[in-house]
Amino acid sequence: MTDADITTATTPAADWQGWQKSWDRQQEWYMPDREDRFRIMLDMVEALVGPAPRVLDLACGTGTITARLLDRFPEATSTGVDLDPALLAIAEGTFAGDDRVRLVTADLKDPGWTAKLPYDSYDAVLTATALHWLHAEPLAALYGRIAEVVRDGGVFMNADHMIDETTPRINAAERAHRHAQMDAAKARGALDWAEWWRLAAEDPVLAGPTARRFEIYGEHADGDMPSAAWHARVLREKGFGEARPVWCSPSDTLLLALK
């Protein structure tokens, strides 16, 4: 047996597409309409900046937005930014050899994170279900830095949990209904956040990155989750000319801001 044979025999191979699908199913347990927001997001990218955009996939995770972007717009390019070692490992495995994709490790709470980007400006900055872990003050600061990298005429879109505190009874009823559906799906075998990460920690390839991920983040925690009106107001204050929702569900909103 040669050294190459030994290396091949002892190096585990990861099923990156399998992990992508598993991540999608886990996220869909929380958001059954998840693909709807991506479809509208890409519709608005095409409408406002065309079918070959330079995109910044913010808090990209496994590259969910990037995968859908490139599938729909083969001439697009994407820079994915995240801090999570495990999710970035899946993204790196998924897009290995695709020169349309660049991946950057950066902390969005670090004021200098934009210096790590390969380009000074982008046609579109896109993010989904990620920025709710930031509290209002650091999120407003992040919006200012996003405004600096979106070109004039470019767009920023954030699809996330945005809670309108002026409608507490509606919010409570929606939450109760949504969680009843989630409980039924889990009874049928759906994975939740904790179970998905338990499986990642058991994978030979992802065990190390997953351990580092929990050293960075600890357990999952949410920020303030302000209303869509708050997001639109702050984005206008930070330099965007227009901002409003372009899609919403009973609990989530896709907020679009035009530079």
Side-chain angles (χ1 to χ4, degrees):
M1 179 179 288
T2 67
D3 289 344
D5 292 330
I6 293 172
T7 300
T8 301
T10 58
T11 302
D15 177 7
W16 300 121
Q17 289 302 322
W19 278 110
Q20 289 283 2
K21 292 177 181 177
S22 177
W23 178 259
D24 284 344
R25 300 295 86 77
Q26 179 255 129
Q27 290 287 286
E28 287 166 358
W29 180 65
Y30 296 94
M31 299 165 287
D33 51 15
R34 184 168 176 255
E35 294 299 327
D36 291 343
R37 69 198 70 195
F38 294 140
R39 177 178 56 82
I40 298 299
M41 179 181 282
L42 295 181
D43 282 349
M44 298 312 298
V45 166
E46 185 173 23
L48 288 164
V49 298
R54 177 190 292 170
V55 169
L56 177 58
D57 185 351
L58 199 69
C60 65
T62 66
T64 298
I65 290 175
T66 292
R68 286 152 181 78
L69 171 79
L70 298 180
D71 183 60
R72 178 161 168 177
F73 306 125
E75 296 182 12
T77 59
S78 180
T79 301
V81 177
D82 209 300
L83 187 62
D84 190 311
L87 299 186
L88 278 174
I90 296 172
E92 289 164 357
T94 300
F95 301 108
D98 191 332
D99 59 10
R100 297 172 298 175
V101 180
R102 303 275 294 274
L103 295 170
V104 175
T105 300
D107 185 349
L108 297 180
K109 291 182 288 185
D110 177 358
W113 67 269
T114 57
K116 296 184 177 183
L117 300 177
Y119 304 105
D120 293 331
S121 67
Y122 289 83
D123 300 311
V125 177
L126 309 176
T127 189
T129 328
L131 301 188
H132 60 270
W133 48 265
L134 287 174
H135 291 285
E137 186 174 343
L139 180 55
L142 176 63
Y143 278 171
R145 290 187 280 274
I146 291 170
E148 293 173 356
V149 300
V150 175
R151 68 163 173 82
D152 288 344
V155 299
F156 167 67
M157 280 182 270
N158 179 16
D160 210 343
H161 314 312
M162 300 183 188
I163 307 301
D164 186 342
E165 299 294 350
T166 67
T167 58
R169 289 181 297 164
I170 295 173
N171 298 350
E174 182 280 325
R175 180 179 174 82
H177 183 262
R178 174 163 43 89
H179 278 263
Q181 292 180 316
M182 290 167 65
D183 289 344
K186 192 169 183 180
R188 297 191 296 269
L191 294 181
D192 63 11
W193 175 267
E195 181 66 9
W196 190 91
W197 282 108
R198 184 188 67 79
L199 294 175
E202 294 175 354
D203 183 270
V205 176
L206 290 178
T210 297
R212 293 194 297 275
R213 184 250 179 231
F214 280 96
E215 289 174 1
I216 295 170
Y217 292 107
E219 294 299 326
H220 185 69
D222 287 326
D224 294 330
M225 289 186 282
S227 68
W230 180 93
H231 287 268
R233 175 180 59 79
V234 172
L235 285 163
R236 287 191 294 266
E237 290 173 354
K238 295 299 182 179
F240 287 91
E242 301 177 15
R244 72 167 178 85
V246 292
W247 174 91
C248 68
S249 73
S251 61
D252 290 7
T253 296
L254 172 57
L255 200 294
L256 184 152
L258 181 65
K259 185 77 175 286

